[in-house]
Amino acid sequence: MKALVTHPAGRATRTLEGLSDTSPDEGLIEDLTVEDKAVEQLAEGLLSHYLPDLQRSKQALQELTQNQVVLLDTLEQEISKFKECHSMLDINALFTEAKHYHAKLVNIRKEMLMLHEKTSKLKKRALKLQQKRQKEELEREQQREKEFEREKQLTARPAKRT
């Protein structure tokens, strides 16, 4: 079985269990160059393996970000359209209310004209009645005067001496 051993230089190597390095400095330079090359090759392999996926992910995220901006603009436009529709409903309600009040005004105007006609007719009738009463009063007054004259004529007068 292999075990992981850490050297004083900070690098880790695998050794067989039960066996240890005879000297910590032995093969240090060779191990470093081999390990540097291995690290470099591992890094390149790791990058070559994951870099295309990461680049595709980056591009997908950029597209999503761009699409998000477009969607936000579209959403703002839809919100403004909704507000316009809502204001149109308010305007329609105002027009409906205006029609209602216009109809009320027309009815009031008709009633006022009808009342004006009735008052005009009543004034004419009152004037005619007043004229008729005055005429009747005048006729009664004339009748009284005639009766008074007649009574005057009927009353005995002393005859004149001649």
mmCIF file of all heavy atoms in Angstrom, residues 3-40:
data_model
loop_
_atom_site.group_PDB
_atom_site.id
_atom_site.type_symbol
_atom_site.label_atom_id
_atom_site.label_comp_id
_atom_site.label_asym_id
_atom_site.label_seq_id
_atom_site.Cartn_x
_atom_site.Cartn_y
_atom_site.Cartn_z
ATOM 1 N N ALA A 3 1.568 5.323 0.693
ATOM 2 C CA ALA A 3 1.204 6.380 1.626
ATOM 3 C C ALA A 3 1.730 7.695 1.093
ATOM 4 O O ALA A 3 2.705 7.728 0.366
ATOM 5 C CB ALA A 3 1.793 6.100 3.004
ATOM 6 N N LEU A 4 1.073 8.758 1.469
ATOM 7 C CA LEU A 4 1.458 10.095 1.027
ATOM 8 C C LEU A 4 2.379 10.669 2.073
ATOM 9 O O LEU A 4 2.029 10.777 3.244
ATOM 10 C CB LEU A 4 0.218 10.975 0.861
ATOM 11 C CG LEU A 4 0.426 12.328 0.267
ATOM 12 C CD1 LEU A 4 0.934 12.197 -1.164
ATOM 13 C CD2 LEU A 4 -0.834 13.128 0.274
ATOM 14 N N VAL A 5 3.591 11.098 1.626
ATOM 15 C CA VAL A 5 4.578 11.648 2.538
ATOM 16 C C VAL A 5 4.881 13.059 2.067
ATOM 17 O O VAL A 5 5.103 13.285 0.887
ATOM 18 C CB VAL A 5 5.857 10.789 2.549
ATOM 19 C CG1 VAL A 5 6.907 11.410 3.447
ATOM 20 C CG2 VAL A 5 5.552 9.382 2.980
ATOM 21 N N THR A 6 4.954 13.990 3.014
ATOM 22 C CA THR A 6 5.251 15.365 2.672
ATOM 23 C C THR A 6 6.698 15.636 3.014
ATOM 24 O O THR A 6 7.146 15.358 4.122
ATOM 25 C CB THR A 6 4.359 16.340 3.459
ATOM 26 O OG1 THR A 6 3.025 15.969 3.259
ATOM 27 C CG2 THR A 6 4.584 17.755 3.016
ATOM 28 N N HIS A 7 7.453 16.171 2.045
ATOM 29 C CA HIS A 7 8.860 16.504 2.234
ATOM 30 C C HIS A 7 8.969 17.881 2.841
ATOM 31 O O HIS A 7 8.041 18.686 2.751
ATOM 32 C CB HIS A 7 9.596 16.475 0.883
ATOM 33 C CG HIS A 7 9.746 15.080 0.352
ATOM 34 N ND1 HIS A 7 10.645 14.192 0.868
ATOM 35 C CD2 HIS A 7 9.106 14.443 -0.658
ATOM 36 C CE1 HIS A 7 10.553 13.054 0.193
ATOM 37 N NE2 HIS A 7 9.623 13.189 -0.742
ATOM 38 N N PRO A 8 10.108 18.220 3.420
ATOM 39 C CA PRO A 8 10.296 19.539 4.010
ATOM 40 C C PRO A 8 10.160 20.644 2.979
ATOM 41 O O PRO A 8 9.831 21.773 3.320
ATOM 42 C CB PRO A 8 11.703 19.519 4.577
ATOM 43 C CG PRO A 8 12.131 18.106 4.619
ATOM 44 C CD PRO A 8 11.256 17.344 3.696
ATOM 45 N N ALA A 9 10.330 20.373 1.705
ATOM 46 C CA ALA A 9 10.225 21.411 0.687
ATOM 47 C C ALA A 9 8.769 21.702 0.367
ATOM 48 O O ALA A 9 8.481 22.542 -0.458
ATOM 49 C CB ALA A 9 10.977 20.977 -0.566
ATOM 50 N N GLY A 10 7.835 20.967 0.951
ATOM 51 C CA GLY A 10 6.436 21.232 0.756
ATOM 52 C C GLY A 10 5.830 20.391 -0.331
ATOM 53 O O GLY A 10 4.682 20.573 -0.696
ATOM 54 N N ARG A 11 6.568 19.447 -0.918
ATOM 55 C CA ARG A 11 5.994 18.633 -1.968
ATOM 56 C C ARG A 11 5.616 17.295 -1.388
ATOM 57 O O ARG A 11 6.203 16.811 -0.435
ATOM 58 C CB ARG A 11 6.939 18.502 -3.141
ATOM 59 C CG ARG A 11 8.233 17.806 -2.850
ATOM 60 C CD ARG A 11 9.084 17.818 -4.129
ATOM 61 N NE ARG A 11 10.480 17.594 -3.861
ATOM 62 C CZ ARG A 11 11.035 16.427 -3.500
ATOM 63 N NH1 ARG A 11 10.353 15.440 -3.369
ATOM 64 N NH2 ARG A 11 12.298 16.251 -3.283
ATOM 65 N N ALA A 12 4.622 16.705 -1.996
ATOM 66 C CA ALA A 12 4.149 15.411 -1.501
ATOM 67 C C ALA A 12 4.536 14.339 -2.503
ATOM 68 O O ALA A 12 4.448 14.544 -3.708
ATOM 69 C CB ALA A 12 2.638 15.449 -1.333
ATOM 70 N N THR A 13 4.980 13.198 -2.009
ATOM 71 C CA THR A 13 5.301 12.051 -2.868
ATOM 72 C C THR A 13 4.695 10.815 -2.252
ATOM 73 O O THR A 13 4.440 10.763 -1.053
ATOM 74 C CB THR A 13 6.823 11.847 -3.007
ATOM 75 O OG1 THR A 13 7.362 11.651 -1.708
ATOM 76 C CG2 THR A 13 7.494 13.020 -3.678
ATOM 77 N N ARG A 14 4.517 9.796 -3.061
ATOM 78 C CA ARG A 14 3.959 8.549 -2.571
ATOM 79 C C ARG A 14 5.102 7.561 -2.334
ATOM 80 O O ARG A 14 6.001 7.431 -3.154
ATOM 81 C CB ARG A 14 3.001 7.975 -3.597
ATOM 82 C CG ARG A 14 1.779 8.842 -3.756
ATOM 83 C CD ARG A 14 0.689 8.060 -4.441
ATOM 84 N NE ARG A 14 -0.465 8.903 -4.653
ATOM 85 C CZ ARG A 14 -1.472 8.987 -3.802
ATOM 86 N NH1 ARG A 14 -1.478 8.272 -2.729
ATOM 87 N NH2 ARG A 14 -2.479 9.768 -4.045
ATOM 88 N N THR A 15 5.025 6.887 -1.245
ATOM 89 C CA THR A 15 6.011 5.846 -0.936
ATOM 90 C C THR A 15 5.267 4.611 -0.500
ATOM 91 O O THR A 15 4.086 4.670 -0.141
ATOM 92 C CB THR A 15 6.973 6.280 0.184
ATOM 93 O OG1 THR A 15 6.214 6.528 1.358
ATOM 94 C CG2 THR A 15 7.754 7.509 -0.203
ATOM 95 N N LEU A 16 5.929 3.524 -0.530
ATOM 96 C CA LEU A 16 5.332 2.286 -0.059
ATOM 97 C C LEU A 16 5.280 2.334 1.441
ATOM 98 O O LEU A 16 6.185 2.823 2.108
ATOM 99 C CB LEU A 16 6.141 1.077 -0.535
ATOM 100 C CG LEU A 16 6.097 0.851 -2.046
ATOM 101 C CD1 LEU A 16 7.017 -0.313 -2.398
ATOM 102 C CD2 LEU A 16 4.705 0.532 -2.495
ATOM 103 N N GLU A 17 4.234 1.763 2.010
ATOM 104 C CA GLU A 17 4.071 1.772 3.448
ATOM 105 C C GLU A 17 5.138 0.890 4.088
ATOM 106 O O GLU A 17 5.406 -0.203 3.630
ATOM 107 C CB GLU A 17 2.685 1.238 3.788
ATOM 108 C CG GLU A 17 2.280 1.576 5.187
ATOM 109 C CD GLU A 17 0.857 1.163 5.423
ATOM 110 O OE1 GLU A 17 -0.028 1.607 4.660
ATOM 111 O OE2 GLU A 17 0.624 0.410 6.367
ATOM 112 N N GLY A 18 5.700 1.390 5.114
ATOM 113 C CA GLY A 18 6.751 0.651 5.795
ATOM 114 C C GLY A 18 8.129 1.004 5.301
ATOM 115 O O GLY A 18 9.116 0.760 5.944
ATOM 116 N N LEU A 19 8.229 1.558 4.122
ATOM 117 C CA LEU A 19 9.525 1.951 3.566
ATOM 118 C C LEU A 19 9.605 3.456 3.642
ATOM 119 O O LEU A 19 8.643 4.149 3.384
ATOM 120 C CB LEU A 19 9.664 1.501 2.118
ATOM 121 C CG LEU A 19 9.624 0.006 1.863
ATOM 122 C CD1 LEU A 19 9.671 -0.248 0.369
ATOM 123 C CD2 LEU A 19 10.791 -0.704 2.538
ATOM 124 N N SER A 20 10.713 3.993 3.925
ATOM 125 C CA SER A 20 10.884 5.432 3.983
ATOM 126 C C SER A 20 12.068 5.815 3.146
ATOM 127 O O SER A 20 12.922 5.002 2.849
ATOM 128 C CB SER A 20 11.065 5.911 5.417
ATOM 129 O OG SER A 20 12.238 5.370 5.957
ATOM 130 N N ASP A 21 12.129 7.095 2.782
ATOM 131 C CA ASP A 21 13.274 7.597 2.018
ATOM 132 C C ASP A 21 14.496 7.527 2.916
ATOM 133 O O ASP A 21 14.424 7.832 4.103
ATOM 134 C CB ASP A 21 13.048 9.031 1.561
ATOM 135 C CG ASP A 21 11.992 9.134 0.470
ATOM 136 O OD1 ASP A 21 11.709 8.097 -0.155
ATOM 137 O OD2 ASP A 21 11.456 10.238 0.262
ATOM 138 N N THR A 22 15.594 7.190 2.317
ATOM 139 C CA THR A 22 16.815 7.092 3.116
ATOM 140 C C THR A 22 17.356 8.448 3.449
ATOM 141 O O THR A 22 17.876 8.674 4.532
ATOM 142 C CB THR A 22 17.880 6.274 2.369
ATOM 143 O OG1 THR A 22 18.066 6.863 1.109
ATOM 144 C CG2 THR A 22 17.480 4.824 2.261
ATOM 145 N N SER A 23 17.256 9.369 2.507
ATOM 146 C CA SER A 23 17.766 10.693 2.768
ATOM 147 C C SER A 23 16.776 11.680 2.187
ATOM 148 O O SER A 23 16.337 11.537 1.045
ATOM 149 C CB SER A 23 19.135 10.851 2.111
ATOM 150 O OG SER A 23 19.496 12.197 2.112
ATOM 151 N N PRO A 24 16.406 12.743 2.904
ATOM 152 C CA PRO A 24 15.422 13.689 2.389
ATOM 153 C C PRO A 24 15.947 14.479 1.212
ATOM 154 O O PRO A 24 15.159 14.932 0.395
ATOM 155 C CB PRO A 24 15.134 14.612 3.562
ATOM 156 C CG PRO A 24 16.111 14.315 4.606
ATOM 157 C CD PRO A 24 16.797 13.036 4.275
ATOM 158 N N ASP A 25 17.231 14.662 1.054
ATOM 159 C CA ASP A 25 17.765 15.460 -0.047
ATOM 160 C C ASP A 25 18.053 14.608 -1.265
ATOM 161 O O ASP A 25 18.365 15.142 -2.311
ATOM 162 C CB ASP A 25 19.056 16.174 0.385
ATOM 163 C CG ASP A 25 18.766 17.235 1.430
ATOM 164 O OD1 ASP A 25 17.603 17.723 1.450
ATOM 165 O OD2 ASP A 25 19.665 17.561 2.215
ATOM 166 N N GLU A 26 17.998 13.343 -1.151
ATOM 167 C CA GLU A 26 18.377 12.467 -2.244
ATOM 168 C C GLU A 26 17.351 12.559 -3.358
ATOM 169 O O GLU A 26 16.148 12.398 -3.146
ATOM 170 C CB GLU A 26 18.443 11.024 -1.737
ATOM 171 C CG GLU A 26 18.995 10.075 -2.746
ATOM 172 C CD GLU A 26 19.090 8.687 -2.150
ATOM 173 O OE1 GLU A 26 19.541 8.554 -1.007
ATOM 174 O OE2 GLU A 26 18.668 7.756 -2.817
ATOM 175 N N GLY A 27 17.769 12.854 -4.568
ATOM 176 C CA GLY A 27 16.909 12.931 -5.757
ATOM 177 C C GLY A 27 15.999 14.138 -5.764
ATOM 178 O O GLY A 27 15.009 14.168 -6.486
ATOM 179 N N LEU A 28 16.303 15.155 -5.012
ATOM 180 C CA LEU A 28 15.452 16.330 -4.884
ATOM 181 C C LEU A 28 15.401 17.120 -6.189
ATOM 182 O O LEU A 28 14.328 17.518 -6.631
ATOM 183 C CB LEU A 28 15.961 17.202 -3.735
ATOM 184 C CG LEU A 28 15.084 18.365 -3.321
ATOM 185 C CD1 LEU A 28 13.747 17.862 -2.825
ATOM 186 C CD2 LEU A 28 15.761 19.203 -2.279
ATOM 187 N N ILE A 29 16.522 17.355 -6.801
ATOM 188 C CA ILE A 29 16.558 18.141 -8.028
ATOM 189 C C ILE A 29 15.873 17.393 -9.146
ATOM 190 O O ILE A 29 15.110 17.970 -9.916
ATOM 191 C CB ILE A 29 18.006 18.501 -8.401
ATOM 192 C CG1 ILE A 29 18.562 19.425 -7.330
ATOM 193 C CG2 ILE A 29 18.076 19.175 -9.759
ATOM 194 C CD1 ILE A 29 20.000 19.801 -7.501
ATOM 195 N N GLU A 30 16.097 16.100 -9.239
ATOM 196 C CA GLU A 30 15.459 15.318 -10.289
ATOM 197 C C GLU A 30 13.953 15.294 -10.089
ATOM 198 O O GLU A 30 13.187 15.377 -11.048
ATOM 199 C CB GLU A 30 16.023 13.896 -10.300
ATOM 200 C CG GLU A 30 17.458 13.827 -10.750
ATOM 201 C CD GLU A 30 18.011 12.407 -10.613
ATOM 202 O OE1 GLU A 30 17.229 11.487 -10.331
ATOM 203 O OE2 GLU A 30 19.212 12.239 -10.791
ATOM 204 N N ASP A 31 13.549 15.143 -8.844
ATOM 205 C CA ASP A 31 12.110 15.113 -8.563
ATOM 206 C C ASP A 31 11.457 16.438 -8.913
ATOM 207 O O ASP A 31 10.331 16.485 -9.407
ATOM 208 C CB ASP A 31 11.869 14.815 -7.082
ATOM 209 C CG ASP A 31 12.140 13.358 -6.744
ATOM 210 O OD1 ASP A 31 12.193 12.564 -7.692
ATOM 211 O OD2 ASP A 31 12.271 13.045 -5.543
ATOM 212 N N LEU A 32 12.148 17.546 -8.657
ATOM 213 C CA LEU A 32 11.581 18.852 -8.950
ATOM 214 C C LEU A 32 11.355 19.025 -10.442
ATOM 215 O O LEU A 32 10.308 19.505 -10.863
ATOM 216 C CB LEU A 32 12.507 19.966 -8.447
ATOM 217 C CG LEU A 32 12.302 20.399 -7.001
ATOM 218 C CD1 LEU A 32 13.326 21.451 -6.620
ATOM 219 C CD2 LEU A 32 10.925 20.900 -6.761
ATOM 220 N N THR A 33 12.302 18.658 -11.237
ATOM 221 C CA THR A 33 12.120 18.828 -12.673
ATOM 222 C C THR A 33 11.053 17.889 -13.182
ATOM 223 O O THR A 33 10.250 18.262 -14.036
ATOM 224 C CB THR A 33 13.447 18.579 -13.416
ATOM 225 O OG1 THR A 33 13.915 17.289 -13.093
ATOM 226 C CG2 THR A 33 14.462 19.635 -13.074
ATOM 227 N N VAL A 34 11.025 16.692 -12.665
ATOM 228 C CA VAL A 34 9.984 15.748 -13.073
ATOM 229 C C VAL A 34 8.639 16.242 -12.587
ATOM 230 O O VAL A 34 7.651 16.239 -13.319
ATOM 231 C CB VAL A 34 10.289 14.336 -12.522
ATOM 232 C CG1 VAL A 34 9.108 13.408 -12.748
ATOM 233 C CG2 VAL A 34 11.538 13.780 -13.164
ATOM 234 N N GLU A 35 8.610 16.729 -11.341
ATOM 235 C CA GLU A 35 7.350 17.212 -10.798
ATOM 236 C C GLU A 35 6.907 18.490 -11.484
ATOM 237 O O GLU A 35 5.717 18.679 -11.738
ATOM 238 C CB GLU A 35 7.480 17.441 -9.301
ATOM 239 C CG GLU A 35 7.449 16.167 -8.509
ATOM 240 C CD GLU A 35 7.464 16.428 -7.035
ATOM 241 O OE1 GLU A 35 7.127 17.550 -6.605
ATOM 242 O OE2 GLU A 35 7.803 15.495 -6.303
ATOM 243 N N ASP A 36 7.807 19.403 -11.807
ATOM 244 C CA ASP A 36 7.443 20.623 -12.528
ATOM 245 C C ASP A 36 6.855 20.280 -13.882
ATOM 246 O O ASP A 36 5.834 20.839 -14.281
ATOM 247 C CB ASP A 36 8.660 21.537 -12.712
ATOM 248 C CG ASP A 36 9.032 22.249 -11.416
ATOM 249 O OD1 ASP A 36 8.189 22.252 -10.484
ATOM 250 O OD2 ASP A 36 10.142 22.808 -11.354
ATOM 251 N N LYS A 37 7.515 19.341 -14.576
ATOM 252 C CA LYS A 37 6.986 18.926 -15.876
ATOM 253 C C LYS A 37 5.639 18.262 -15.699
ATOM 254 O O LYS A 37 4.714 18.502 -16.472
ATOM 255 C CB LYS A 37 7.962 17.959 -16.554
ATOM 256 C CG LYS A 37 9.192 18.612 -17.093
ATOM 257 C CD LYS A 37 10.077 17.581 -17.770
ATOM 258 C CE LYS A 37 11.375 18.222 -18.257
ATOM 259 N NZ LYS A 37 12.274 17.218 -18.854
ATOM 260 N N ALA A 38 5.519 17.431 -14.672
ATOM 261 C CA ALA A 38 4.252 16.737 -14.426
ATOM 262 C C ALA A 38 3.154 17.738 -14.081
ATOM 263 O O ALA A 38 2.026 17.649 -14.571
ATOM 264 C CB ALA A 38 4.426 15.721 -13.302
ATOM 265 N N VAL A 39 3.512 18.710 -13.241
ATOM 266 C CA VAL A 39 2.532 19.738 -12.869
ATOM 267 C C VAL A 39 2.116 20.520 -14.106
ATOM 268 O O VAL A 39 0.937 20.810 -14.317
ATOM 269 C CB VAL A 39 3.106 20.669 -11.776
ATOM 270 C CG1 VAL A 39 2.251 21.912 -11.593
ATOM 271 C CG2 VAL A 39 3.254 19.926 -10.461
ATOM 272 N N GLU A 40 3.099 20.871 -14.913
ATOM 273 C CA GLU A 40 2.803 21.612 -16.135
ATOM 274 C C GLU A 40 1.908 20.800 -17.050
ATOM 275 O O GLU A 40 0.913 21.300 -17.595
ATOM 276 C CB GLU A 40 4.128 21.945 -16.834
ATOM 277 C CG GLU A 40 4.078 23.241 -17.604
ATOM 278 C CD GLU A 40 5.447 23.572 -18.174
ATOM 279 O OE1 GLU A 40 6.346 23.927 -17.378
ATOM 280 O OE2 GLU A 40 5.571 23.480 -19.392
#
